[in-house]
Amino acid sequence: MKIVFFGTPQFAVPTLEKLLNHSEFEVLAVVTQPDKRRERGNKLTPSPVKAIATAHNLPVWQPERVKKDTETLTQLKQLDADVFVVVAYGQILSSKILKMPKLACINVHGSILPKYRGAAPIQWCLYNGESETGITTMLMDVGMDTGAMLQIATTPIGLLDNSQDLADRLAAIGGDLLVETLLKLERQEIQPIPQDNLAATYAPLIQKPDYGLDWSKSAMQLHNQIRGFYPNCTATFRENLFKITASAPVGSVGDRHLPPELQELTHKLPDLSNISDRPGEVVNIVKGIGAIVQTGEGLLLLREVQLAGKRPQSGWDFVNGTRLIVGEVFGAGG
């Protein structure tokens, strides 16, 4: 099966590697986003997918707008591929491109469709506190993740999973599921299933305001925001923004899903109800672990933070380094 691969971030790499290492598939070329300048040194950096493609001596095309790039469109047509595979490419394909392959254009999407169509399905499913997610392979059409579904693989979400943890796991699942999908599609063993548009939800691009923490929310809501939008959620400490990169709700219904050491911590707390009437106030400092903060409902343990210009540090190192005391109040982020 002759394949053209469209993809950009690390999430797409395991799927490309599965195709490259499988005897039934031949990857003809890779289409990825243009190199980007990174903050440090302002050097142009290739996408993770380009790095893999280059290492395998594959042709790599990086059009600014693939729908409008005449040269790329001509090259794609000339390849006469059986399948186009798309994994987090970052551009919308035109109907002209979707009609080029002999068999199909297939997308590997990071959710159980029709839920969480769009650019950030992993982040929003965590933000919304889902207990399960998965990968869907689907036939592509001109809509935003609206094509008929081919196969679905699911995975549970742990209480302390963040978006990076979940993306790594789903990326591996996606590679295996795509291989299975392609083989079954070639043997005509799959019947595409139309999506129920009435059940669809959307996962738009995350905007800067989404990162700001509001301590009047519940501990579980804040925890889901922190892990969903990892590692960028912010609060204010002594009039300066800082990031909270890992947390845990304590004294809540989620306790039974915590690791044993945090469950033990919960049992030692003097009161599992609201301790303070000031959301954002540090109400307890647990030696060797970190600060516990009052929220609008429940308590939140700060497991890892990152001060401006510094590396991430454990909650306990943060307490020691800043001489944090009970009674200090964190402000909202932004």
Side-chain angles (χ1 to χ4, degrees):
M1 185 181 290
K2 295 181 178 181
I3 296 170
V4 177
F5 187 86
F6 294 70
T8 300
Q10 181 61 37
F11 181 79
V13 167
T15 302
L16 176 57
E17 290 178 329
K18 287 284 184 180
L19 294 175
L20 290 169
N21 293 325
H22 200 290
S23 60
E24 294 292 319
F25 308 127
E26 179 187 1
V27 180
L28 303 176
V30 166
V31 185
T32 188
Q33 293 277 53
D35 296 354
K36 290 188 175 181
R37 295 194 182 276
R38 305 300 177 187
E39 291 180 8
R40 293 184 179 181
N42 203 32
K43 292 182 179 180
L44 280 173
T45 304
S47 72
V49 163
K50 181 182 178 181
I52 297 297
T54 301
H56 284 80
N57 298 312
L58 293 172
V60 178
W61 303 326
Q62 297 177 273
E64 289 284 350
R65 295 187 65 195
V66 66
K67 294 190 296 185
K68 302 289 186 180
D69 192 293
T70 305
E71 182 179 354
T72 300
L73 292 173
T74 300
Q75 291 170 320
L76 285 171
K77 185 69 174 176
Q78 290 174 345
L79 285 177
D80 199 28
D82 297 306
V83 174
F84 288 175
V85 169
V86 182
V87 187
Y89 170 46
Q91 295 189 39
I92 295 174
L93 304 187
S94 65
S95 58
K96 182 177 181 179
I97 296 173
L98 296 177
K99 293 175 183 176
M100 287 183 183
K102 297 176 184 176
L103 192 57
C105 275
I106 297 177
N107 179 234
V108 178
H109 185 74
S111 79
I112 303 171
L113 289 171
K115 295 185 73 174
Y116 300 107
R117 295 173 177 174
I122 296 171
Q123 292 89 337
W124 287 106
C125 86
L126 284 167
Y127 178 86
N128 289 325
E130 302 283 3
S131 60
E132 182 184 62
T133 187
I135 291 286
T136 305
T137 53
M138 67 173 180
L139 299 176
M140 295 181 67
D141 59 21
V142 293
M144 175 66 75
D145 301 323
T146 56
M149 300 177 293
L150 298 171
Q151 287 191 287
I152 295 173
T154 64
T155 184
I157 300 174
L159 181 63
L160 299 185
D161 283 341
N162 64 32
S163 57
Q164 186 61 62
D165 301 327
L166 198 51
D168 291 344
R169 193 156 76 244
L170 288 174
I173 292 170
D176 290 333
L177 189 65
L178 177 73
V179 168
E180 182 182 333
T181 298
L182 290 175
L183 294 176
K184 286 186 175 181
L185 199 63
E186 188 176 36
R187 297 193 295 261
Q188 297 183 332
E189 294 175 357
I190 292 181
Q191 181 63 43
I193 301 172
Q195 292 187 43
D196 179 1
N197 291 327
L198 295 178
T201 62
Y202 291 88
L205 281 171
I206 300 163
Q207 305 295 329
K208 187 176 179 179
D210 295 322
Y211 297 132
L213 297 173
D214 176 358
W215 295 103
S216 67
K217 292 182 178 180
S218 73
M220 188 63 76
Q221 287 174 317
L222 289 165
H223 173 65
N224 288 338
Q225 183 179 358
I226 289 164
R227 68 195 185 121
F229 300 156
Y230 171 86
N232 296 310
C233 286
T234 59
T236 304
F237 172 57
R238 296 174 186 170
E239 299 184 354
N240 293 305
L241 283 179
F242 76 114
K243 293 180 180 179
I244 300 176
T245 50
S247 60
V250 291
S252 71
V253 292
D255 282 354
R256 64 184 183 277
H257 300 294
L258 292 172
E261 65 273 16
L262 293 183
Q263 286 189 29
E264 184 178 348
L265 164 64
T266 289
H267 298 320
K268 290 180 179 179
L269 289 174
D271 185 356
L272 302 187
S273 62
N274 287 1
I275 294 174
S276 166
D277 60 2
R278 290 198 296 173
E281 181 177 357
V282 177
V283 296
N284 205 321
I285 292 176
V286 183
K287 187 175 181 180
I289 298 181
I292 294 176
V293 183
Q294 179 68 58
T295 71
E297 181 184 344
L299 306 174
L300 190 71
L301 170 67
L302 306 190
R303 296 170 51 230
E304 183 182 84
V305 307
Q306 184 175 9
L307 299 174
K310 304 291 185 180
R311 294 180 181 275
Q313 59 184 165
S314 70
W316 181 238
D317 286 343
F318 168 62
V319 168
N320 283 333
T322 62
R323 300 184 183 276
L324 184 71
I325 60 172
V326 171
E328 289 201 65
V329 179
F330 297 117

